Amino acid sequence: MDFIPVNEPLLDGNEKKYLCECIDTGWISSEGPFVREFEQKMCMTVGRRYGIAVSNGTAALEVAAQALGIGEGDEVIMPTFTIISCAMAVTKLGAVPVLIDSDPFTWNMKTEEIEARITDKTKAIMIVHLYGLPAAVDDVLALAKKYHLKVIEDAAEMHGQTYRGKPCGSFGDISTFSFYPNKHITTGEGGMVVTDNEELAERCRSLRNLCFRQDIRYVHDEISGNYRFTNLQAAVGLAQLERLDEFVERKRAMGSYYTEKLQGIEGLRFPVAKTEDADNIYWVYGLVLDETIQIDNKTVQKCLAEKGIGTRTFFWCIHEQPVYQKRGLFHGEKYPDAEYLARKGFYIPSGLALTREQMDRVVIALKEVLE
Ligand SMILES: *Cc1c(COP(=O)(O)O)cnc(C)c1O
């Protein structure tokens, strides 16, 4: 039987048409007209004034952190259970991540634990919405106001999601997106920084492109990198964005279908379908083995792979990353709920191109493996 990959994107809208336009007109670089158009349309979608498209979601975080002036000795609060990009964006600037444990059910940062970790070195809080449900934004915004902190919102997994009716990507000083193929809309590789602050937007534009000085070209006052986004990427992005609502609906239908069909299998914790703040958009469909199951995620994943089912583990916690342990960071720190998710969580095929038949095969395989 065919292997079911963990993710396959849907590219059957206007992607080809817009890409052909790039080829036909010769506009393939970052100077092409689709880039601006894509930035504007993303801004309209999330309710921000300025959008700066960059080469990927990691670059977006790096640009955002640098634009906010995070630097040597600063502390930035973030969840320990997240992608390494969040921590790297901060440590590259000489700042230190201060980590927070996760809620065992929503998998987002326990915002009630943030205040105790604020010090006079704290410069910013990074909100990272994980796996389909938004983090408790209002808690973070209240703390940021009280302690005069900056807020970065990583909305990579939140295309089309809202928090209490407002779009994710519209909160805090600056927000970032990724368009990697496992996100709700993709450009192959790609990312974006969005903000309402004109000065920050200008900083981001400069950081995206080697910090060229405005007055004299090829003269630079600051270190950054080349994080430019091409017209080819924007062509795909525009076609994808046209279908965002449909894609979100599709992911939600997929999530409910899986949850319904998997009911009754012992040993699994399912994603929370809705909270007071939002309905899950299932960035990917994650499962967590519960306390009754002695094995870890890798064992289950291996059995599923033998049945032709692709899966991925959850993120590995920042405090357990060898690169940071080697540097003596996070020594002896413990975040039990996040550590549990990292060892017991995994996600099953949930890309937009997934069919009902494939989902049924995944369900059967999971039943066989766990029973
Ligand atoms: C995917 C992702 C990123 C990184 O995006 P890339 O485009 O892969 O660099 C950052 N943060 C979160 C929460 C993500 O899910």
Side-chain angles (χ1 to χ4, degrees):
M1 245 191 287
D2 290 343
F3 188 79
I4 304 177
V6 73
N7 177 68
E8 214 181 319
L10 259 191
L11 300 163
D12 54 357
N14 284 322
E15 288 82 358
K16 207 180 266 178
K17 182 174 160 216
Y18 298 158
L19 275 171
C20 286
E21 236 176 282
C22 298
I23 309 286
D24 292 342
T25 58
W27 282 114
I28 57 171
S29 79
S30 57
E31 295 291 319
F34 286 150
V35 177
R36 263 298 155 103
E37 192 183 336
F38 183 52
E39 289 172 342
Q40 282 162 0
K41 294 214 162 125
M42 271 293 292
C43 282
M44 273 163 57
T45 307
V46 299
R48 286 286 205 183
R49 287 174 68 183
Y50 307 99
I52 302 92
V54 293
S55 45
N56 54 66
T58 303
L61 284 166
E62 290 181 19
V63 165
Q66 196 171 345
L68 283 177
I70 290 165
E72 206 64 42
D74 290 335
E75 293 179 351
V76 178
I77 294 175
M78 65 176 71
T80 187
F81 179 64
T82 183
I83 190 162
I84 193 83
S85 313
C86 301
M88 280 187 180
V90 163
T91 55
K92 272 194 170 176
L93 297 168
V96 183
V98 170
L99 304 173
I100 302 290
D101 205 357
S102 312
D103 181 279
F105 301 102
T106 67
W107 313 335
N108 275 311
M109 170 162 68
K110 284 180 180 164
T111 47
E112 66 275 16
E113 296 187 357
I114 293 177
E115 191 162 19
R117 304 297 305 276
I118 294 174
T119 71
D120 52 12
K121 291 191 188 144
T122 310
K123 174 98 180 187
I125 304 177
M126 194 184 283
I127 299 173
V128 190
H129 308 291
L130 292 163
Y131 292 86
L133 283 172
V137 173
D138 283 352
D139 292 357
V140 174
L141 295 181
L143 287 170
K145 195 164 174 210
K146 181 169 170 193
Y147 294 96
H148 308 288
L149 305 174
K150 304 285 184 197
V151 173
I152 306 176
E153 181 194 20
D154 180 351
E157 302 172 9
M158 289 296 118
H159 298 281
Q161 181 58 294
T162 56
Y163 167 82
R164 301 192 175 174
K166 271 198 77 193
C168 290
S170 68
F171 299 106
D173 297 277
I174 201 162
S175 309
T176 64
F177 285 96
S178 161
F179 307 112
Y180 189 71
N182 64 8
K183 317 298 183 190
H184 283 55
I185 61 169
T186 183
T187 62
E189 297 286 346
M192 197 177 293
V193 179
V194 295
T195 179
D196 293 320
N197 180 316
E198 189 177 357
E199 208 177 308
L200 267 182
E202 265 322 301
R203 287 264 304 140
C204 291
R205 260 194 210 105
S206 172
L207 287 164
R208 163 172 73 179
N209 187 21
L210 303 166
C211 292
F212 276 100
R213 249 172 66 174
Q214 298 281 339
D215 50 345
I216 343 168
R217 205 165 167 85
Y218 302 113
V219 176
H220 308 260
D221 290 326
E222 204 177 344
I223 298 283
S224 70
N226 171 359
Y227 302 126
R228 298 188 298 257
F229 184 82
T230 70
N231 209 48
L232 297 165
Q233 289 167 294
V236 176
L238 281 168
Q240 291 267 300
L241 200 49
E242 289 169 357
R243 299 176 70 188
L244 177 59
D245 293 346
E246 176 198 337
F247 285 174
V248 168
E249 209 175 295
R250 209 178 163 105
K251 283 275 200 174
R252 283 196 168 127
M254 205 180 276
S256 331
Y257 190 76
Y258 265 142
T259 301
E260 182 197 322
K261 295 289 166 185
L262 292 168
Q263 284 310 312
I265 302 185
E266 299 282 320
L268 289 178
R269 261 197 241 155
F270 299 102
V272 174
K274 66 187 294 166
T275 66
E276 282 177 1
D277 305 327
D279 293 350
N280 205 323
I281 58 164
Y282 305 95
W283 165 52
V284 293
Y285 192 90
L287 289 165
V288 181
L289 301 168
D290 74 15
E291 288 78 0
T292 65
I293 298 245
Q294 296 306 315
I295 47 178
D296 68 5
N297 50 9
K298 294 207 183 56
T299 314
V300 173
Q301 289 177 268
K302 195 164 160 273
C303 298
L304 286 169
E306 282 161 11
K307 294 179 180 291
I309 312 293
T311 60
R312 286 278 184 289
T313 49
F314 273 9
F315 296 125
W316 192 244
C317 296
I318 302 298
H319 69 284
E320 297 193 281
Q321 293 291 347
V323 62
Y324 291 133
Q325 293 192 334
K326 267 190 282 182
R327 293 185 182 192
L329 279 174
F330 316 126
H331 186 73
E333 291 182 24
K334 287 264 176 288
Y335 303 93
D337 289 316
E339 288 166 24
Y340 189 91
L341 293 174
R343 283 163 180 78
K344 299 283 193 166
F346 61 100
Y347 63 90
I348 56 180
S350 34
L352 285 159
L354 196 71
T355 63
R356 280 280 151 108
E357 291 68 38
Q358 288 177 313
M359 291 172 76
D360 290 336
R361 265 185 59 201
V362 173
V363 171
I364 291 167
L366 255 169
K367 273 197 178 130
E368 286 170 0
V369 168
L370 289 168
E371 284 164 8

